[in-house]
Amino acid sequence: MRALNVTAPWGLDAIKVVELPDPKPGPGQVLVRMKAVSLNYRDLLMVNGMYGRAPATTSDVITPFSDGCGYVEAVGEGVTRFKPGDRVATLFFQGWISGPPTLEKVVTALGFPIPGAGSELQTFSEHGLSKVPEFLSDNEVATLPCAALTAWRGLFYDARLEPGDTVVLQGTGGVSIFGLQFAHAAGLRTLITSSSDAKLERAKELGADHLVNYKTTPAWSGPVREVTNGRGADFIMEVGGGGTIQESMRAIKIGGHIAIIGVVAGAGEPFNPAALIGNSAKLQGLSVGSRDMFESMCRMMDLKKIFPVVDKVFPFTEAKAAFSAMAAGEHFGKIVLEF
């Protein structure tokens, strides 16, 4: 089989297509023939050697990608959840089945520290896979495990929003676009930001109620306050990190919820905790979710027929080009590699 591997000194030029022996499923494992994987910003950090405790020696290898769709090729002894021919999605955390996150659950992430889905054949624990809605294509299914589930958990598990609440989505990457789709389907008022008017128009077609270009309106908390009659947003999907958190603090309502999921805008200003105390807002780090959450999300997507936005598709052998497109911010929604 062929696989995508990355080794030190890291970087896009370090992505190689390699030939490896076909794996075989052990007890409790499922062998999956992958059809597609989708890119997350985490994968870009990983390829560049900037994610977590990156391997330190030239002999260490990463097989990237947590998010994929494939078909069960064979099952190992004792497997009861799947049979050959079943279509499945990988789960970001292989060991987080239900309940709140724990250290034991979150150290089971695909890509790092567990080898990821970036190979034609891969073995997974039977508990680290889920069946998926039939109406979605393989490429669409491959976008669900990280970006979609992160948005789903933030909106409906952590913040527990209600119809009529106001949601702010930063940017038009995967998590924010899924958040827009889910929020619109649930009857929430949505405001989305982007540096591109063209992308904002696409977001409007997906149901965005209010659009703000943060390049022409860098103080975007003003429009948020305006559309909420001074009250502020109930929920903000914070993807910028230090570069945008101060504006999020100005935009959030008293007692509102800010879900911190990324740092794409860099370090930015030092965080001022006085603002947090003053409005009793809640900041919560958010990293994907459990299998139970994933399966409830899939039921809602099936009910409402929500189609993921796949913006760009590359052959898996052109992973470098796909990552370059992500790094340049060219995408709206998700980027997918096909096997």
Side-chain angles (χ1 to χ4, degrees):
M1 69 163 189
R2 295 176 297 172
L4 292 170
N5 279 352
V6 190
T7 59
W10 317 111
L12 298 188
D13 289 335
I15 303 172
K16 306 295 182 187
V17 179
V18 298
E19 293 277 351
L20 297 174
D22 289 359
K24 297 186 182 300
Q29 289 187 324
V30 175
L31 178 65
V32 178
R33 183 168 293 279
M34 302 305 301
K35 292 297 184 181
V37 294
S38 71
L39 278 63
N40 294 301
Y41 190 69
R42 169 184 184 257
D43 296 307
L44 181 60
L45 294 176
M46 194 180 302
V47 166
N48 285 323
M50 300 166 61
Y51 182 81
R53 298 179 298 277
T57 71
T58 55
S59 61
D60 288 319
V61 176
I62 286 178
T63 302
F65 303 111
S66 56
D67 295 17
C69 174
Y71 291 79
V72 175
E73 191 103 333
V75 299
E77 181 182 354
V79 170
T80 58
R81 282 176 50 82
F82 303 101
K83 64 183 184 303
D86 285 344
R87 187 172 70 152
V88 295
T90 57
L91 296 175
F92 186 96
F93 291 115
Q94 294 287 283
W96 187 2
I97 308 305
S98 61
T102 64
L103 177 61
E104 292 76 17
K105 295 172 183 177
V106 301
V107 295
T108 63
L110 285 180
F112 185 81
I114 296 174
S119 56
E120 290 177 316
L121 290 167
Q122 185 61 282
T123 56
F124 304 94
S125 164
E126 71 166 321
H127 301 296
L129 301 167
S130 281
K131 294 180 182 179
V132 287
E134 293 183 2
F135 77 96
L136 297 177
S137 70
D138 294 345
N139 287 354
E140 290 166 340
V141 167
T143 69
L144 301 181
C146 179
L149 185 54
T150 296
W152 177 260
R153 173 188 163 191
L155 291 166
F156 304 118
Y157 279 80
D158 293 346
R160 298 193 175 277
L161 298 170
E162 299 179 353
D165 285 347
T166 299
V167 173
V168 174
L169 297 315
Q170 292 181 0
T172 53
V175 178
S176 293
I177 292 302
F178 273 118
L180 169 61
Q181 292 177 284
F182 293 158
H184 178 67
L188 305 173
R189 176 165 52 183
T190 54
L191 183 148
I192 194 162
T193 70
S194 175
S195 62
S196 164
D197 288 337
K199 289 182 178 180
L200 288 173
E201 285 302 314
R202 293 183 66 182
K204 185 176 182 179
E205 293 173 1
L206 292 174
D209 297 303
H210 305 283
L211 314 171
V212 178
N213 186 315
Y214 65 79
K215 282 290 180 68
T216 57
T217 309
W220 49 262
S221 59
V224 174
R225 290 281 173 184
E226 183 179 346
V227 302
T228 58
N229 295 318
R231 181 169 174 265
D234 297 275
F235 177 89
I236 297 176
M237 194 75 77
E238 172 59 61
V239 304
T244 54
I245 188 65
Q246 295 292 2
E247 204 59 26
S248 290
M249 292 299 302
R250 298 182 187 105
I252 197 70
K253 76 168 189 178
I254 293 175
H257 188 112
I258 301 175
I260 302 177
I261 67 163
V263 291
V264 297
E269 306 172 44
F271 174 65
N272 179 7
L276 184 65
I277 297 168
N279 66 8
S280 301
K282 179 179 181 181
L283 270 67
Q284 181 170 347
L286 172 55
S287 180
V288 201
S290 68
R291 191 180 78 195
D292 281 356
M293 295 177 195
F294 181 88
E295 292 179 347
S296 70
M297 176 191 75
C298 286
R299 289 193 293 272
M300 184 267 205
M301 294 184 71
D302 201 6
L303 177 66
K304 294 293 187 177
K305 294 297 182 285
I306 294 176
F307 289 88
V309 178
V310 177
D311 189 54
K312 297 180 185 298
V313 179
F314 296 81
F316 93 101
T317 52
E318 295 182 14
K320 179 179 175 180
F323 277 116
S324 295
M326 168 172 273
E330 297 175 2
H331 58 298
F332 178 96
K334 296 294 289 182
I335 298 172
V336 167
L337 299 178
E338 287 183 326
F339 288 88

